[in-house]
Each structure stands twice: as C-alpha cells, then as structure tokens.
Amino acid sequence: MNIKIAETNKDIDHAYHVRMTVFVDEQKVPPEEEVDDHDKTCLHFIGYEDEKPIAASRLRFVDNYGKLERICVLKNHRGKSHGTEIIDKMEEIISNKGYAKSKLNAQTHAVNFYQHLGYEVISGEFMDAGIPHVTMIKHLP
C-alpha cells in the first residue's frame, strides 16, 4: 500500500470516501458525526493500492501528543496489515515533529489490535457515535 498525506482535493475526497464507506455505510455512524471541524485543520492520510483508495486516517496534534483518529480500511482489504501500515506512518510523522506520545480512542473490538502495536488502555469504556470506545496511549521511541 502506498500511504501519503492528502495534499490535493482529490486525495482528501478519497480519504472522505473511505471514511464514509467504513464508518457511515458499514458502522452506521451518522454522517454529521463523522465529519467535524477538526477535518479542516488536521493531516489526512490516504492509502492507495493499485491507485485505488483503500485506507484513511487523520492526525491532530493536541497538547503534547499526536492524536490518531478515523483510522479505517475498506472491508475487502482488511487482514493485510494495512491498518498497521497507516498507523506506523502516522507515528513516524508524530516523532518527526518532536512529539513523544500518541493517543487514540479505540473501538473496544479493536483494543487487542492496538495493544499489539504497543498501545495501553488509560480510560474506562465510553460511547462515541453509539459505539463503545476506550482511550489508549503509546510512548514513541
């Protein structure tokens, strides 16, 4: 998978398409909750395979950490480590900008996935867009 920071309108549209497919169509998140004001100021990542968008995420810098958000891979491309690849790319950017921690709000069904990547649960369960989540952090090398 080729991962890049979305810098063109086309790339950003592709990232939104992947996010809408996964979160709105598949997980039934209301569209008005999927897109928010942070989309205007964050870094958007888009993953391409054979020039087709298959993965997306966004990254914000909040206080003293990079916050990984909206991480998603199209259903028929899961199980191929694309989620790990896009997270690795985001963590690389976080480190390159001088931050030592990353943080994310994980859907509870994905906690084991993030734990394998070095994330630790630091909160109790909470609901976001009708889906149970926990907050997780990782100290970056």
Side-chain angles (χ1 to χ4, degrees), residues 3-8 11-17 19 34-47 55-60 69-70 86 89-90 93:
I3 303 166
K4 62 186 207 174
I5 295 174
E7 295 178 333
T8 67
D11 288 339
I12 291 171
D13 287 346
H14 286 162
Y16 283 139
H17 171 75
R19 284 173 48 186
E34 174 50 31
V35 176
D36 61 25
D37 287 339
H38 297 305
D39 279 316
K40 297 173 188 167
T41 58
C42 66
L43 290 177
H44 294 271
F45 291 76
I46 183 74
S57 63
R58 75 179 192 188
L59 175 61
R60 295 190 301 127
E69 299 177 329
R70 308 300 203 269
I86 204 162
K89 182 69 170 176
M90 296 170 78
I93 299 297

PDB file of all heavy atoms in Angstrom, residues 3-8 11-17 19 34-47 55-60 69-70 86 89-90 93:
ATOM      1  N   ILE A   3       1.086   4.964   1.086  1.00  0.00           N
ATOM      2  CA  ILE A   3       0.427   5.886   2.016  1.00  0.00           C
ATOM      3  C   ILE A   3       1.004   7.267   1.831  1.00  0.00           C
ATOM      4  O   ILE A   3       2.227   7.433   1.772  1.00  0.00           O
ATOM      5  CB  ILE A   3       0.651   5.447   3.475  1.00  0.00           C
ATOM      6  CG1 ILE A   3       0.146   4.032   3.687  1.00  0.00           C
ATOM      7  CG2 ILE A   3      -0.028   6.428   4.430  1.00  0.00           C
ATOM      8  CD1 ILE A   3       0.626   3.418   4.976  1.00  0.00           C
ATOM      9  N   LYS A   4       0.128   8.250   1.763  1.00  0.00           N
ATOM     10  CA  LYS A   4       0.611   9.620   1.679  1.00  0.00           C
ATOM     11  C   LYS A   4      -0.288  10.553   2.460  1.00  0.00           C
ATOM     12  O   LYS A   4      -1.436  10.218   2.770  1.00  0.00           O
ATOM     13  CB  LYS A   4       0.746  10.062   0.229  1.00  0.00           C
ATOM     14  CG  LYS A   4      -0.534  10.088  -0.568  1.00  0.00           C
ATOM     15  CD  LYS A   4      -0.193  10.394  -2.016  1.00  0.00           C
ATOM     16  CE  LYS A   4      -1.321  11.062  -2.734  1.00  0.00           C
ATOM     17  NZ  LYS A   4      -0.964  11.483  -4.079  1.00  0.00           N
ATOM     18  N   ILE A   5       0.264  11.704   2.779  1.00  0.00           N
ATOM     19  CA  ILE A   5      -0.545  12.759   3.380  1.00  0.00           C
ATOM     20  C   ILE A   5      -1.357  13.373   2.251  1.00  0.00           C
ATOM     21  O   ILE A   5      -0.814  13.706   1.187  1.00  0.00           O
ATOM     22  CB  ILE A   5       0.346  13.808   4.072  1.00  0.00           C
ATOM     23  CG1 ILE A   5       1.070  13.177   5.253  1.00  0.00           C
ATOM     24  CG2 ILE A   5      -0.488  15.001   4.517  1.00  0.00           C
ATOM     25  CD1 ILE A   5       2.092  14.077   5.920  1.00  0.00           C
ATOM     26  N   ALA A   6      -2.651  13.474   2.475  1.00  0.00           N
ATOM     27  CA  ALA A   6      -3.546  14.016   1.451  1.00  0.00           C
ATOM     28  C   ALA A   6      -3.310  15.522   1.331  1.00  0.00           C
ATOM     29  O   ALA A   6      -3.579  16.264   2.266  1.00  0.00           O
ATOM     30  CB  ALA A   6      -4.995  13.715   1.818  1.00  0.00           C
ATOM     31  N   GLU A   7      -2.782  15.935   0.189  1.00  0.00           N
ATOM     32  CA  GLU A   7      -2.500  17.355  -0.031  1.00  0.00           C
ATOM     33  C   GLU A   7      -3.357  17.958  -1.121  1.00  0.00           C
ATOM     34  O   GLU A   7      -3.468  19.173  -1.211  1.00  0.00           O
ATOM     35  CB  GLU A   7      -1.014  17.537  -0.343  1.00  0.00           C
ATOM     36  CG  GLU A   7      -0.133  17.159   0.837  1.00  0.00           C
ATOM     37  CD  GLU A   7       1.346  17.286   0.544  1.00  0.00           C
ATOM     38  OE1 GLU A   7       1.744  17.172  -0.634  1.00  0.00           O
ATOM     39  OE2 GLU A   7       2.095  17.505   1.512  1.00  0.00           O
ATOM     40  N   THR A   8      -3.955  17.129  -1.958  1.00  0.00           N
ATOM     41  CA  THR A   8      -4.807  17.644  -3.029  1.00  0.00           C
ATOM     42  C   THR A   8      -6.269  17.411  -2.666  1.00  0.00           C
ATOM     43  O   THR A   8      -6.588  16.555  -1.827  1.00  0.00           O
ATOM     44  CB  THR A   8      -4.507  16.931  -4.363  1.00  0.00           C
ATOM     45  OG1 THR A   8      -4.916  15.558  -4.242  1.00  0.00           O
ATOM     46  CG2 THR A   8      -3.029  17.020  -4.728  1.00  0.00           C
ATOM     47  N   ASP A  11      -7.132  13.756  -3.200  1.00  0.00           N
ATOM     48  CA  ASP A  11      -6.720  12.863  -2.115  1.00  0.00           C
ATOM     49  C   ASP A  11      -7.648  12.998  -0.907  1.00  0.00           C
ATOM     50  O   ASP A  11      -8.023  12.005  -0.288  1.00  0.00           O
ATOM     51  CB  ASP A  11      -5.278  13.144  -1.686  1.00  0.00           C
ATOM     52  CG  ASP A  11      -4.245  12.689  -2.692  1.00  0.00           C
ATOM     53  OD1 ASP A  11      -4.558  11.814  -3.527  1.00  0.00           O
ATOM     54  OD2 ASP A  11      -3.115  13.217  -2.649  1.00  0.00           O
ATOM     55  N   ILE A  12      -7.994  14.225  -0.561  1.00  0.00           N
ATOM     56  CA  ILE A  12      -8.891  14.447   0.583  1.00  0.00           C
ATOM     57  C   ILE A  12     -10.262  13.844   0.296  1.00  0.00           C
ATOM     58  O   ILE A  12     -10.854  13.195   1.155  1.00  0.00           O
ATOM     59  CB  ILE A  12      -8.963  15.947   0.940  1.00  0.00           C
ATOM     60  CG1 ILE A  12      -7.606  16.375   1.521  1.00  0.00           C
ATOM     61  CG2 ILE A  12     -10.094  16.218   1.927  1.00  0.00           C
ATOM     62  CD1 ILE A  12      -7.447  17.871   1.716  1.00  0.00           C
ATOM     63  N   ASP A  13     -10.757  14.010  -0.933  1.00  0.00           N
ATOM     64  CA  ASP A  13     -12.033  13.382  -1.303  1.00  0.00           C
ATOM     65  C   ASP A  13     -11.949  11.864  -1.187  1.00  0.00           C
ATOM     66  O   ASP A  13     -12.888  11.208  -0.726  1.00  0.00           O
ATOM     67  CB  ASP A  13     -12.435  13.772  -2.728  1.00  0.00           C
ATOM     68  CG  ASP A  13     -12.917  15.211  -2.844  1.00  0.00           C
ATOM     69  OD1 ASP A  13     -13.190  15.849  -1.800  1.00  0.00           O
ATOM     70  OD2 ASP A  13     -13.007  15.704  -3.985  1.00  0.00           O
ATOM     71  N   HIS A  14     -10.819  11.297  -1.594  1.00  0.00           N
ATOM     72  CA  HIS A  14     -10.631   9.848  -1.468  1.00  0.00           C
ATOM     73  C   HIS A  14     -10.650   9.421  -0.003  1.00  0.00           C
ATOM     74  O   HIS A  14     -11.252   8.402   0.349  1.00  0.00           O
ATOM     75  CB  HIS A  14      -9.323   9.403  -2.126  1.00  0.00           C
ATOM     76  CG  HIS A  14      -9.365   9.393  -3.614  1.00  0.00           C
ATOM     77  ND1 HIS A  14      -8.236   9.389  -4.393  1.00  0.00           N
ATOM     78  CD2 HIS A  14     -10.405   9.374  -4.481  1.00  0.00           C
ATOM     79  CE1 HIS A  14      -8.573   9.377  -5.666  1.00  0.00           C
ATOM     80  NE2 HIS A  14      -9.886   9.363  -5.747  1.00  0.00           N
ATOM     81  N   ALA A  15      -9.981  10.194   0.863  1.00  0.00           N
ATOM     82  CA  ALA A  15      -9.971   9.874   2.298  1.00  0.00           C
ATOM     83  C   ALA A  15     -11.395   9.921   2.858  1.00  0.00           C
ATOM     84  O   ALA A  15     -11.804   9.020   3.599  1.00  0.00           O
ATOM     85  CB  ALA A  15      -9.061  10.844   3.052  1.00  0.00           C
ATOM     86  N   TYR A  16     -12.151  10.956   2.504  1.00  0.00           N
ATOM     87  CA  TYR A  16     -13.539  11.055   2.968  1.00  0.00           C
ATOM     88  C   TYR A  16     -14.371   9.889   2.453  1.00  0.00           C
ATOM     89  O   TYR A  16     -15.213   9.346   3.167  1.00  0.00           O
ATOM     90  CB  TYR A  16     -14.186  12.366   2.531  1.00  0.00           C
ATOM     91  CG  TYR A  16     -13.771  13.572   3.337  1.00  0.00           C
ATOM     92  CD1 TYR A  16     -13.525  14.780   2.706  1.00  0.00           C
ATOM     93  CD2 TYR A  16     -13.642  13.520   4.726  1.00  0.00           C
ATOM     94  CE1 TYR A  16     -13.155  15.903   3.435  1.00  0.00           C
ATOM     95  CE2 TYR A  16     -13.274  14.635   5.454  1.00  0.00           C
ATOM     96  CZ  TYR A  16     -13.031  15.825   4.809  1.00  0.00           C
ATOM     97  OH  TYR A  16     -12.669  16.929   5.532  1.00  0.00           O
ATOM     98  N   HIS A  17     -14.144   9.479   1.212  1.00  0.00           N
ATOM     99  CA  HIS A  17     -14.900   8.358   0.645  1.00  0.00           C
ATOM    100  C   HIS A  17     -14.651   7.079   1.457  1.00  0.00           C
ATOM    101  O   HIS A  17     -15.604   6.362   1.794  1.00  0.00           O
ATOM    102  CB  HIS A  17     -14.519   8.138  -0.818  1.00  0.00           C
ATOM    103  CG  HIS A  17     -15.098   6.884  -1.388  1.00  0.00           C
ATOM    104  ND1 HIS A  17     -16.431   6.765  -1.730  1.00  0.00           N
ATOM    105  CD2 HIS A  17     -14.535   5.677  -1.633  1.00  0.00           C
ATOM    106  CE1 HIS A  17     -16.656   5.535  -2.161  1.00  0.00           C
ATOM    107  NE2 HIS A  17     -15.525   4.857  -2.115  1.00  0.00           N
ATOM    108  N   ARG A  19     -13.598   6.857   4.577  1.00  0.00           N
ATOM    109  CA  ARG A  19     -14.191   7.051   5.902  1.00  0.00           C
ATOM    110  C   ARG A  19     -15.709   6.878   5.866  1.00  0.00           C
ATOM    111  O   ARG A  19     -16.287   6.226   6.737  1.00  0.00           O
ATOM    112  CB  ARG A  19     -13.838   8.437   6.439  1.00  0.00           C
ATOM    113  CG  ARG A  19     -12.412   8.533   6.933  1.00  0.00           C
ATOM    114  CD  ARG A  19     -12.012   9.937   7.307  1.00  0.00           C
ATOM    115  NE  ARG A  19     -12.973  10.622   8.165  1.00  0.00           N
ATOM    116  CZ  ARG A  19     -12.876  11.896   8.512  1.00  0.00           C
ATOM    117  NH1 ARG A  19     -11.853  12.629   8.094  1.00  0.00           N
ATOM    118  NH2 ARG A  19     -13.778  12.445   9.293  1.00  0.00           N
ATOM    119  N   GLU A  34     -19.443  12.011  11.679  1.00  0.00           N
ATOM    120  CA  GLU A  34     -18.199  11.536  11.073  1.00  0.00           C
ATOM    121  C   GLU A  34     -17.303  12.707  10.647  1.00  0.00           C
ATOM    122  O   GLU A  34     -16.097  12.672  10.806  1.00  0.00           O
ATOM    123  CB  GLU A  34     -18.495  10.627   9.881  1.00  0.00           C
ATOM    124  CG  GLU A  34     -17.281  10.205   9.096  1.00  0.00           C
ATOM    125  CD  GLU A  34     -16.151   9.647   9.945  1.00  0.00           C
ATOM    126  OE1 GLU A  34     -16.378   9.048  10.999  1.00  0.00           O
ATOM    127  OE2 GLU A  34     -14.994   9.834   9.550  1.00  0.00           O
ATOM    128  N   VAL A  35     -17.881  13.734  10.094  1.00  0.00           N
ATOM    129  CA  VAL A  35     -17.122  14.901   9.639  1.00  0.00           C
ATOM    130  C   VAL A  35     -17.326  16.009  10.666  1.00  0.00           C
ATOM    131  O   VAL A  35     -18.454  16.292  11.066  1.00  0.00           O
ATOM    132  CB  VAL A  35     -17.601  15.346   8.241  1.00  0.00           C
ATOM    133  CG1 VAL A  35     -16.882  16.607   7.799  1.00  0.00           C
ATOM    134  CG2 VAL A  35     -17.383  14.223   7.230  1.00  0.00           C
ATOM    135  N   ASP A  36     -16.214  16.622  11.106  1.00  0.00           N
ATOM    136  CA  ASP A  36     -16.326  17.691  12.095  1.00  0.00           C
ATOM    137  C   ASP A  36     -15.348  18.819  11.765  1.00  0.00           C
ATOM    138  O   ASP A  36     -14.633  18.765  10.756  1.00  0.00           O
ATOM    139  CB  ASP A  36     -16.116  17.149  13.515  1.00  0.00           C
ATOM    140  CG  ASP A  36     -14.750  16.531  13.733  1.00  0.00           C
ATOM    141  OD1 ASP A  36     -13.782  16.893  13.011  1.00  0.00           O
ATOM    142  OD2 ASP A  36     -14.621  15.678  14.628  1.00  0.00           O
ATOM    143  N   ASP A  37     -15.300  19.822  12.606  1.00  0.00           N
ATOM    144  CA  ASP A  37     -14.441  20.982  12.364  1.00  0.00           C
ATOM    145  C   ASP A  37     -12.960  20.636  12.371  1.00  0.00           C
ATOM    146  O   ASP A  37     -12.155  21.346  11.766  1.00  0.00           O
ATOM    147  CB  ASP A  37     -14.723  22.079  13.400  1.00  0.00           C
ATOM    148  CG  ASP A  37     -16.052  22.784  13.152  1.00  0.00           C
ATOM    149  OD1 ASP A  37     -16.558  22.715  12.006  1.00  0.00           O
ATOM    150  OD2 ASP A  37     -16.579  23.390  14.091  1.00  0.00           O
ATOM    151  N   HIS A  38     -12.574  19.563  13.050  1.00  0.00           N
ATOM    152  CA  HIS A  38     -11.160  19.174  13.070  1.00  0.00           C
ATOM    153  C   HIS A  38     -10.663  18.756  11.686  1.00  0.00           C
ATOM    154  O   HIS A  38      -9.462  18.834  11.413  1.00  0.00           O
ATOM    155  CB  HIS A  38     -10.917  18.031  14.060  1.00  0.00           C
ATOM    156  CG  HIS A  38     -11.215  18.399  15.477  1.00  0.00           C
ATOM    157  ND1 HIS A  38     -10.639  19.476  16.116  1.00  0.00           N
ATOM    158  CD2 HIS A  38     -12.041  17.833  16.379  1.00  0.00           C
ATOM    159  CE1 HIS A  38     -11.095  19.549  17.351  1.00  0.00           C
ATOM    160  NE2 HIS A  38     -11.950  18.564  17.537  1.00  0.00           N
ATOM    161  N   ASP A  39     -11.576  18.339  10.814  1.00  0.00           N
ATOM    162  CA  ASP A  39     -11.170  17.932   9.467  1.00  0.00           C
ATOM    163  C   ASP A  39     -10.506  19.067   8.704  1.00  0.00           C
ATOM    164  O   ASP A  39      -9.717  18.830   7.794  1.00  0.00           O
ATOM    165  CB  ASP A  39     -12.375  17.399   8.673  1.00  0.00           C
ATOM    166  CG  ASP A  39     -12.700  15.967   9.022  1.00  0.00           C
ATOM    167  OD1 ASP A  39     -11.763  15.158   9.114  1.00  0.00           O
ATOM    168  OD2 ASP A  39     -13.885  15.664   9.215  1.00  0.00           O
ATOM    169  N   LYS A  40     -10.818  20.308   9.053  1.00  0.00           N
ATOM    170  CA  LYS A  40     -10.256  21.464   8.346  1.00  0.00           C
ATOM    171  C   LYS A  40      -8.798  21.715   8.713  1.00  0.00           C
ATOM    172  O   LYS A  40      -8.067  22.341   7.952  1.00  0.00           O
ATOM    173  CB  LYS A  40     -11.083  22.710   8.663  1.00  0.00           C
ATOM    174  CG  LYS A  40     -12.517  22.628   8.195  1.00  0.00           C
ATOM    175  CD  LYS A  40     -13.322  23.813   8.696  1.00  0.00           C
ATOM    176  CE  LYS A  40     -14.793  23.605   8.379  1.00  0.00           C
ATOM    177  NZ  LYS A  40     -15.643  24.551   9.099  1.00  0.00           N
ATOM    178  N   THR A  41      -8.371  21.252   9.895  1.00  0.00           N
ATOM    179  CA  THR A  41      -7.034  21.614  10.381  1.00  0.00           C
ATOM    180  C   THR A  41      -6.095  20.426  10.593  1.00  0.00           C
ATOM    181  O   THR A  41      -4.925  20.627  10.907  1.00  0.00           O
ATOM    182  CB  THR A  41      -7.155  22.377  11.715  1.00  0.00           C
ATOM    183  OG1 THR A  41      -7.845  21.555  12.657  1.00  0.00           O
ATOM    184  CG2 THR A  41      -7.903  23.691  11.526  1.00  0.00           C
ATOM    185  N   CYS A  42      -6.581  19.207  10.440  1.00  0.00           N
ATOM    186  CA  CYS A  42      -5.737  18.033  10.706  1.00  0.00           C
ATOM    187  C   CYS A  42      -4.996  17.600   9.444  1.00  0.00           C
ATOM    188  O   CYS A  42      -5.238  18.103   8.347  1.00  0.00           O
ATOM    189  CB  CYS A  42      -6.607  16.892  11.218  1.00  0.00           C
ATOM    190  SG  CYS A  42      -7.767  16.293   9.991  1.00  0.00           S
ATOM    191  N   LEU A  43      -4.074  16.648   9.630  1.00  0.00           N
ATOM    192  CA  LEU A  43      -3.429  15.991   8.495  1.00  0.00           C
ATOM    193  C   LEU A  43      -4.264  14.769   8.135  1.00  0.00           C
ATOM    194  O   LEU A  43      -4.584  13.951   8.997  1.00  0.00           O
ATOM    195  CB  LEU A  43      -2.018  15.525   8.868  1.00  0.00           C
ATOM    196  CG  LEU A  43      -0.948  16.577   9.084  1.00  0.00           C
ATOM    197  CD1 LEU A  43       0.355  15.900   9.515  1.00  0.00           C
ATOM    198  CD2 LEU A  43      -0.724  17.376   7.820  1.00  0.00           C
ATOM    199  N   HIS A  44      -4.622  14.650   6.881  1.00  0.00           N
ATOM    200  CA  HIS A  44      -5.358  13.482   6.393  1.00  0.00           C
ATOM    201  C   HIS A  44      -4.372  12.543   5.716  1.00  0.00           C
ATOM    202  O   HIS A  44      -3.503  12.976   4.961  1.00  0.00           O
ATOM    203  CB  HIS A  44      -6.427  13.898   5.372  1.00  0.00           C
ATOM    204  CG  HIS A  44      -7.510  14.726   5.950  1.00  0.00           C
ATOM    205  ND1 HIS A  44      -8.641  14.188   6.507  1.00  0.00           N
ATOM    206  CD2 HIS A  44      -7.636  16.070   6.060  1.00  0.00           C
ATOM    207  CE1 HIS A  44      -9.430  15.158   6.934  1.00  0.00           C
ATOM    208  NE2 HIS A  44      -8.837  16.320   6.674  1.00  0.00           N
ATOM    209  N   PHE A  45      -4.511  11.251   5.985  1.00  0.00           N
ATOM    210  CA  PHE A  45      -3.689  10.233   5.348  1.00  0.00           C
ATOM    211  C   PHE A  45      -4.589   9.383   4.459  1.00  0.00           C
ATOM    212  O   PHE A  45      -5.744   9.114   4.805  1.00  0.00           O
ATOM    213  CB  PHE A  45      -3.037   9.327   6.397  1.00  0.00           C
ATOM    214  CG  PHE A  45      -1.983  10.023   7.208  1.00  0.00           C
ATOM    215  CD1 PHE A  45      -2.335  10.910   8.211  1.00  0.00           C
ATOM    216  CD2 PHE A  45      -0.642   9.785   6.966  1.00  0.00           C
ATOM    217  CE1 PHE A  45      -1.372  11.557   8.959  1.00  0.00           C
ATOM    218  CE2 PHE A  45       0.333  10.429   7.716  1.00  0.00           C
ATOM    219  CZ  PHE A  45      -0.028  11.316   8.705  1.00  0.00           C
ATOM    220  N   ILE A  46      -4.039   8.966   3.334  1.00  0.00           N
ATOM    221  CA  ILE A  46      -4.787   8.117   2.417  1.00  0.00           C
ATOM    222  C   ILE A  46      -3.855   7.002   1.941  1.00  0.00           C
ATOM    223  O   ILE A  46      -2.685   7.246   1.633  1.00  0.00           O
ATOM    224  CB  ILE A  46      -5.375   8.928   1.230  1.00  0.00           C
ATOM    225  CG1 ILE A  46      -6.214   8.067   0.314  1.00  0.00           C
ATOM    226  CG2 ILE A  46      -4.312   9.694   0.481  1.00  0.00           C
ATOM    227  CD1 ILE A  46      -7.554   7.680   0.855  1.00  0.00           C
ATOM    228  N   GLY A  47      -4.373   5.783   1.949  1.00  0.00           N
ATOM    229  CA  GLY A  47      -3.613   4.630   1.485  1.00  0.00           C
ATOM    230  C   GLY A  47      -4.176   4.135   0.166  1.00  0.00           C
ATOM    231  O   GLY A  47      -5.401   3.964   0.039  1.00  0.00           O
ATOM    232  N   ALA A  55      -7.591   2.901   2.355  1.00  0.00           N
ATOM    233  CA  ALA A  55      -7.426   3.161   3.789  1.00  0.00           C
ATOM    234  C   ALA A  55      -7.323   4.667   4.005  1.00  0.00           C
ATOM    235  O   ALA A  55      -6.910   5.404   3.106  1.00  0.00           O
ATOM    236  CB  ALA A  55      -6.175   2.475   4.314  1.00  0.00           C
ATOM    237  N   ALA A  56      -7.705   5.099   5.203  1.00  0.00           N
ATOM    238  CA  ALA A  56      -7.639   6.525   5.513  1.00  0.00           C
ATOM    239  C   ALA A  56      -7.497   6.721   7.018  1.00  0.00           C
ATOM    240  O   ALA A  56      -7.793   5.815   7.809  1.00  0.00           O
ATOM    241  CB  ALA A  56      -8.894   7.240   5.011  1.00  0.00           C
ATOM    242  N   SER A  57      -7.055   7.897   7.393  1.00  0.00           N
ATOM    243  CA  SER A  57      -6.972   8.286   8.799  1.00  0.00           C
ATOM    244  C   SER A  57      -6.723   9.786   8.843  1.00  0.00           C
ATOM    245  O   SER A  57      -6.511  10.420   7.808  1.00  0.00           O
ATOM    246  CB  SER A  57      -5.837   7.545   9.514  1.00  0.00           C
ATOM    247  OG  SER A  57      -4.592   7.887   8.938  1.00  0.00           O
ATOM    248  N   ARG A  58      -6.748  10.304  10.063  1.00  0.00           N
ATOM    249  CA  ARG A  58      -6.373  11.701  10.240  1.00  0.00           C
ATOM    250  C   ARG A  58      -5.559  11.831  11.511  1.00  0.00           C
ATOM    251  O   ARG A  58      -5.634  10.985  12.403  1.00  0.00           O
ATOM    252  CB  ARG A  58      -7.582  12.625  10.236  1.00  0.00           C
ATOM    253  CG  ARG A  58      -8.410  12.607  11.497  1.00  0.00           C
ATOM    254  CD  ARG A  58      -9.582  13.576  11.412  1.00  0.00           C
ATOM    255  NE  ARG A  58     -10.176  13.730  12.734  1.00  0.00           N
ATOM    256  CZ  ARG A  58     -11.303  14.381  12.966  1.00  0.00           C
ATOM    257  NH1 ARG A  58     -11.956  14.949  11.962  1.00  0.00           N
ATOM    258  NH2 ARG A  58     -11.758  14.482  14.196  1.00  0.00           N
ATOM    259  N   LEU A  59      -4.769  12.893  11.570  1.00  0.00           N
ATOM    260  CA  LEU A  59      -3.864  13.125  12.676  1.00  0.00           C
ATOM    261  C   LEU A  59      -3.969  14.574  13.121  1.00  0.00           C
ATOM    262  O   LEU A  59      -3.910  15.488  12.292  1.00  0.00           O
ATOM    263  CB  LEU A  59      -2.424  12.825  12.237  1.00  0.00           C
ATOM    264  CG  LEU A  59      -1.297  13.124  13.211  1.00  0.00           C
ATOM    265  CD1 LEU A  59      -1.435  12.323  14.503  1.00  0.00           C
ATOM    266  CD2 LEU A  59       0.050  12.846  12.547  1.00  0.00           C
ATOM    267  N   ARG A  60      -4.130  14.737  14.439  1.00  0.00           N
ATOM    268  CA  ARG A  60      -4.120  16.074  15.038  1.00  0.00           C
ATOM    269  C   ARG A  60      -3.042  16.108  16.102  1.00  0.00           C
ATOM    270  O   ARG A  60      -2.697  15.082  16.675  1.00  0.00           O
ATOM    271  CB  ARG A  60      -5.467  16.396  15.695  1.00  0.00           C
ATOM    272  CG  ARG A  60      -6.604  16.497  14.738  1.00  0.00           C
ATOM    273  CD  ARG A  60      -7.881  17.042  15.366  1.00  0.00           C
ATOM    274  NE  ARG A  60      -8.384  16.251  16.468  1.00  0.00           N
ATOM    275  CZ  ARG A  60      -8.679  16.734  17.684  1.00  0.00           C
ATOM    276  NH1 ARG A  60      -8.499  18.009  17.976  1.00  0.00           N
ATOM    277  NH2 ARG A  60      -9.149  15.939  18.633  1.00  0.00           N
ATOM    278  N   GLU A  69      -6.793   9.485  14.606  1.00  0.00           N
ATOM    279  CA  GLU A  69      -8.251   9.460  14.520  1.00  0.00           C
ATOM    280  C   GLU A  69      -8.707   8.901  13.175  1.00  0.00           C
ATOM    281  O   GLU A  69      -7.974   8.925  12.195  1.00  0.00           O
ATOM    282  CB  GLU A  69      -8.811  10.879  14.677  1.00  0.00           C
ATOM    283  CG  GLU A  69      -8.468  11.526  16.007  1.00  0.00           C
ATOM    284  CD  GLU A  69      -8.960  12.952  16.121  1.00  0.00           C
ATOM    285  OE1 GLU A  69      -9.030  13.670  15.098  1.00  0.00           O
ATOM    286  OE2 GLU A  69      -9.266  13.360  17.252  1.00  0.00           O
ATOM    287  N   ARG A  70      -9.947   8.423  13.170  1.00  0.00           N
ATOM    288  CA  ARG A  70     -10.641   7.993  11.947  1.00  0.00           C
ATOM    289  C   ARG A  70      -9.835   6.982  11.129  1.00  0.00           C
ATOM    290  O   ARG A  70      -9.831   6.991   9.913  1.00  0.00           O
ATOM    291  CB  ARG A  70     -11.007   9.187  11.066  1.00  0.00           C
ATOM    292  CG  ARG A  70     -11.763  10.322  11.739  1.00  0.00           C
ATOM    293  CD  ARG A  70     -13.100   9.858  12.312  1.00  0.00           C
ATOM    294  NE  ARG A  70     -14.051  10.930  12.478  1.00  0.00           N
ATOM    295  CZ  ARG A  70     -14.201  11.680  13.585  1.00  0.00           C
ATOM    296  NH1 ARG A  70     -13.412  11.472  14.619  1.00  0.00           N
ATOM    297  NH2 ARG A  70     -15.113  12.619  13.634  1.00  0.00           N
ATOM    298  N   ILE A  86      -0.644   2.188   8.119  1.00  0.00           N
ATOM    299  CA  ILE A  86      -1.048   3.595   8.200  1.00  0.00           C
ATOM    300  C   ILE A  86      -0.742   4.166   9.592  1.00  0.00           C
ATOM    301  O   ILE A  86      -0.331   5.317   9.731  1.00  0.00           O
ATOM    302  CB  ILE A  86      -2.517   3.791   7.758  1.00  0.00           C
ATOM    303  CG1 ILE A  86      -2.737   5.226   7.279  1.00  0.00           C
ATOM    304  CG2 ILE A  86      -3.506   3.398   8.836  1.00  0.00           C
ATOM    305  CD1 ILE A  86      -3.990   5.416   6.424  1.00  0.00           C
ATOM    306  N   LYS A  89       2.953   4.961   9.741  1.00  0.00           N
ATOM    307  CA  LYS A  89       3.224   6.220   9.027  1.00  0.00           C
ATOM    308  C   LYS A  89       2.843   7.418   9.900  1.00  0.00           C
ATOM    309  O   LYS A  89       3.599   8.402   9.985  1.00  0.00           O
ATOM    310  CB  LYS A  89       2.462   6.253   7.702  1.00  0.00           C
ATOM    311  CG  LYS A  89       2.717   7.478   6.876  1.00  0.00           C
ATOM    312  CD  LYS A  89       4.123   7.495   6.339  1.00  0.00           C
ATOM    313  CE  LYS A  89       4.307   8.605   5.322  1.00  0.00           C
ATOM    314  NZ  LYS A  89       5.689   8.699   4.858  1.00  0.00           N
ATOM    315  N   MET A  90       1.702   7.346  10.561  1.00  0.00           N
ATOM    316  CA  MET A  90       1.268   8.437  11.426  1.00  0.00           C
ATOM    317  C   MET A  90       2.238   8.615  12.590  1.00  0.00           C
ATOM    318  O   MET A  90       2.610   9.746  12.931  1.00  0.00           O
ATOM    319  CB  MET A  90      -0.153   8.174  11.926  1.00  0.00           C
ATOM    320  CG  MET A  90      -1.191   8.156  10.817  1.00  0.00           C
ATOM    321  SD  MET A  90      -2.800   7.567  11.376  1.00  0.00           S
ATOM    322  CE  MET A  90      -3.383   9.036  12.217  1.00  0.00           C
ATOM    323  N   ILE A  93       5.364  10.434  11.542  1.00  0.00           N
ATOM    324  CA  ILE A  93       5.147  11.890  11.435  1.00  0.00           C
ATOM    325  C   ILE A  93       5.129  12.516  12.832  1.00  0.00           C
ATOM    326  O   ILE A  93       5.717  13.582  13.055  1.00  0.00           O
ATOM    327  CB  ILE A  93       3.833  12.194  10.679  1.00  0.00           C
ATOM    328  CG1 ILE A  93       3.877  11.639   9.248  1.00  0.00           C
ATOM    329  CG2 ILE A  93       3.515  13.686  10.697  1.00  0.00           C
ATOM    330  CD1 ILE A  93       4.928  12.230   8.349  1.00  0.00           C
TER     331      ILE A  93
END
